[in-house]
Amino acid sequence: MVKCCSAIGCASRCLPNSKLKGLTFHVFPTDENIKRKWVLAMKRLDVNTAGIWEPKKGDVLCSRHFKKTDFDRSTPNTKLKPGAIPSVFESPCHLQEKREKLHCRKNFILKTLPVSNRGHQLVGASCIAEFQPQLIFEHSYSVMDSPKKLKHKLDLVIIELENTKESLQNVLDREKHFQKSLRKTIRELKDESLISQETASRLDAFCWECCQESTA
């Protein structure tokens, strides 16, 4: 499974040629204090719990979110210096809008903060007031509904589409019938000399134009 950077808006993926491009990926620290600082620096919320996002085993951040001075390049394998904290994050326009909407929601309440594997909260209560206005409300890319529910929704959409097609065809059939009736009436009026040939031709042409527009 290809690992992806956990930072909001970052599309970096750990591929075989990543290192050749100077891109490295780093797991979250095991030290709870350092891990907390990483999480706060990311300003990411979990959309499912409305709490601060907590990294899972295997989650990584790419080197784009660290300064050059954060790395130890004295060894063949590029490593982060002890205590290095990510600090390079960009906020795309659409994420900025989501953050502003979140900040304006009067009824939004930050739920109980996630607990780490060691039983300690990643973020203390004193940090909430400081960082809550800056947190980015993450878009969830996971499918929340079960396959059965999704299939049911798809079936409803298909049924609605078929009904729409049927309604449209009925409208076209009625219009076609109306066009035939109108042309028949024009011919009858011309045959009874109630309208001139010129008028009949213009009315017939008008019917033809309307018919073409409706089927275009």
Side-chain angles (χ1 to χ4, degrees), residues 3-8 10 12 14 23-29 34-35 37-44 53 55 58-66 71 80 84-89:
K3 291 185 178 181
C4 300
C5 182
S6 298
I8 296 295
C10 183
S12 297
C14 187
L23 189 63
T24 55
F25 292 80
H26 307 273
V27 297
F28 284 74
I34 303 299
K35 183 192 291 185
K37 292 181 180 180
W38 279 40
V39 171
L40 289 177
M42 292 174 65
K43 301 181 179 66
R44 173 175 172 178
W53 177 81
D59 285 339
V60 294
L61 277 182
C62 73
S63 54
R64 291 175 176 171
H65 306 292
F66 296 87
F71 294 96
L80 288 170
I85 307 298
S87 58
V88 184
F89 295 97

Side-chain angles (χ1 to χ4, degrees), residues 20 30 54 154 158 167 186 194 206:
L20 297 177
T30 55
E54 180 182 12
L154 178 60
I158 293 175
S167 298
I186 293 172
L194 295 176
F206 175 76

Side-chain angles (χ1 to χ4, degrees), residues 64-102:
R64 291 175 176 171
H65 306 292
F66 296 87
K67 297 178 180 178
K68 292 182 179 180
T69 54
D70 291 332
F71 294 96
D72 180 4
R73 304 184 186 277
S74 60
T75 60
N77 294 326
T78 303
K79 296 182 179 180
L80 288 170
K81 293 180 180 178
I85 307 298
S87 58
V88 184
F89 295 97
E90 296 181 358
S91 180
C93 295
H94 67 283
L95 295 178
Q96 180 68 26
E97 292 175 359
K98 288 185 178 181
R99 182 171 63 180
E100 292 173 355
K101 290 180 180 179
L102 173 62

